[in-house]
Amino acid sequence: MRIRFLALLLVAAALAPVYAQDGLSAVEYSDYEKGDGIFSLNLGTNIPLGFYDPTQPGLVGPNSTLGFAFGLSYLGFLDEHWALGGDAGGAFITTLAERRLFLAPISFKAAYAINLSPISILPTIGVGMAISSLSDYKHIDPLFKLGSSFLWRYNSDVSYGLHLFADIIPQFYEDSTQNRVGFFMEATLSVSYHL
């Protein structure tokens, strides 16, 4: 009886690590959890795509060149996927008439993180305002932002990323014949700090 009991204990002890590893491998690891944050510093380009003029058919060309873009952004996670935050940035764009357009988009945004460790994809939608300045002319307009961030997690504290966003900026004037909708593309690289 003792020999059978001892043999059963030895077999159980030998199999215990196998079952323990299966149990550990079933635990799902998440890159983000409630309370985590990402603070990003962005540099890149702003590409004017064109303007929609309701008085003319089709899209009017941008009459400008690629611009230099920069920005700061923050996302705070509500759970392992959903995050809320905001960003503020700026872009210097030169027109074909050698005038300098400064564009400052500021937005509140919501993102959904798709974790493919060590890569994260964050489709994002945002709303806010765009402050523009062209020579002496200044204007504040609504802003709609749509795009995605692609982050490569270098270690537990830092990620490097690519951000691709379309900015849609409706411009409204007292004279409705001057109303336009501007389309811009942001393509920036970032270093992101995990908080």
Side-chain angles (χ1 to χ4, degrees):
M1 180 83 154
R2 286 185 189 175
I3 293 177
R4 285 186 191 170
F5 182 70
L6 185 58
L8 186 59
L9 277 176
L10 289 173
V11 169
L15 292 176
V18 173
Y19 288 108
Q21 279 186 328
D22 286 345
L24 288 175
S25 65
V27 175
E28 187 176 324
Y29 172 75
S30 175
D31 283 343
Y32 308 107
E33 60 184 37
K34 183 178 180 178
D36 285 352
I38 300 175
F39 177 72
S40 298
L41 306 169
N42 308 323
L43 288 175
T45 189
N46 189 303
I47 306 163
L49 300 175
F51 292 88
Y52 170 71
D53 180 351
T55 64
Q56 298 180 19
L59 199 65
V60 177
N63 294 326
S64 54
T65 61
L66 298 179
F68 170 73
F70 59 92
L72 301 171
S73 69
Y74 176 78
L75 280 175
F77 281 83
L78 304 174
D79 61 21
E80 66 183 64
H81 294 290
W82 289 103
L84 296 176
D87 60 14
F92 294 98
I93 301 167
T94 303
T95 69
L96 296 181
E98 296 297 322
R99 294 166 62 191
R100 180 65 53 98
L101 168 65
F102 175 71
L103 184 64
I106 301 167
S107 67
F108 170 78
K109 59 186 183 179
Y112 183 83
I114 302 168
N115 300 322
L116 305 171
S117 192
I119 305 275
S120 294
I121 302 171
L122 293 102
T124 304
I125 187 167
V127 295
M129 66 180 175
I131 303 166
S132 58
S133 173
L134 180 64
S135 300
D136 293 335
Y137 171 78
K138 293 170 181 43
H139 209 258
I140 298 175
D141 303 296
L143 166 72
F144 301 96
K145 184 178 284 278
L146 181 65
S148 188
S149 296
F150 304 88
L151 301 179
W152 173 64
R153 193 139 187 178
Y154 176 71
N155 60 32
S156 61
D157 298 322
V158 175
S159 288
Y160 298 105
L162 168 67
H163 309 272
L164 299 172
F165 286 96
D167 291 344
I168 303 166
I169 305 172
Q171 298 175 318
F172 300 104
Y173 298 92
E174 287 182 20
D175 179 1
S176 62
T177 61
Q178 294 182 352
N179 289 352
R180 302 287 186 271
V181 179
F183 298 92
F184 297 85
M185 180 78 163
E186 291 178 34
T188 58
L189 299 175
S190 74
V191 59
S192 301
Y193 300 94
H194 297 266
L195 309 172

